[in-house]
Amino acid sequence: AWAHYRHGTNLRRSGRSVAALAAFQRATTLDPDELAFAHRLEESVQRTGTAAEHLPVARALAADSPASWVAHRHLGHTLTALGDHDDASRAYRDAARVRLATQPGLPTPSADDPPLEPGLVVIGARRCGKTTLFRQLCRHPSITGALYEEIDFWSHQYDRGLEWYRSLFPPLPDTGEWLTGHTSARYLHHPDAAGRLIAALPDVRVVIMLRDPVDRAIADHHQSQRLGHEDRSFTEVIAAWTGPGRSSGPTGDEPRYVRNGRYVDGVRRWLDAVPPAQLLIVPSERLFSDVTTTGRDVCRFLGMEAVDGLGAGRGGRPPADVAADDDVRELLRQHYAPYNAELARLTGLTLPWG
């Protein structure tokens, strides 16, 4: 199976998307439980626009592997791509039930148990440490995530309906003992996400991760390059924005790497929408330097007892992808300075990069 996966990866990099799809499909058929295979297969189906042709394969995978939550999730993903949100919700509920049954220490669900409504959403721009924090929290025996870590329902997937969203969460008893949630990189800056979320889930708790916007912009660009979505160097991106003479200031459209580091307007919307006791702002640098203490503090914010094991594994190792020319860094520092000052006034926080 892994040989087919590696072959598909090479085909994908060379631009042979249809052949890559076939290789990922073979890998997934051989091992329907491997998330990496399903993820690449889903990407390939989306890239080639072949969800309708792929649907019989996805149905067969789920039927032939009833104990594989990944196969059921993949069927839900394929149906979602086709706009069949009702059938997708049923497939996701099957996936959530099967997955929960495989997680030690959690109750065994029945077919009729409803999903637990999410009590936690971790937001922030890309490369702010949301996934690192959320995975550490999920080491807690009473916390488990949705079928996908990144869910953009309250911003860009709202038309799929609440039942579709709820189907992504585990069918745990609503006794206060258990907590589920997810992350999103698209909620912080979306004009409607905060209001939609708090109207539907008035008791939800929100953690906002904020990273040094210069480091975040560089890391965001680095990831885009690594994924093959960006050909230019970071210096070239900034030069195209600022024009030939940097002293003259920006001239073109602000690159999203830079734009997404202006946090203040997004944070203001969330502060206006979410009750203060339900919102926590965490500087990413704090997480990177001490993931264990940060995880325990967030557990207390969630009303959960901190446990041993938070911070194990990769944890909060500081990212190594923040190199850039000194003059580019200085230009961005000056660009962000008024926004950072306004953010500090708004939140009352002393930010490590303010």
Side-chain angles (χ1 to χ4, degrees), residues 287-321:
L287 174 71
F288 297 149
S289 64
D290 191 350
V291 67
T292 301
T293 300
T294 304
R296 289 178 175 174
D297 290 346
V298 175
C299 280
R300 282 192 287 271
F301 163 71
L302 297 172
M304 294 281 186
E305 182 180 352
V307 297
D308 293 335
L310 295 178
R314 291 184 64 193
R317 285 201 311 228
D321 51 10

Side-chain angles (χ1 to χ4, degrees), residues 256-268:
R256 70 165 178 83
Y257 310 117
V258 178
R259 183 176 62 251
N260 288 343
R262 291 191 281 108
Y263 304 131
V264 63
D265 289 338
V267 170
R268 182 180 289 110

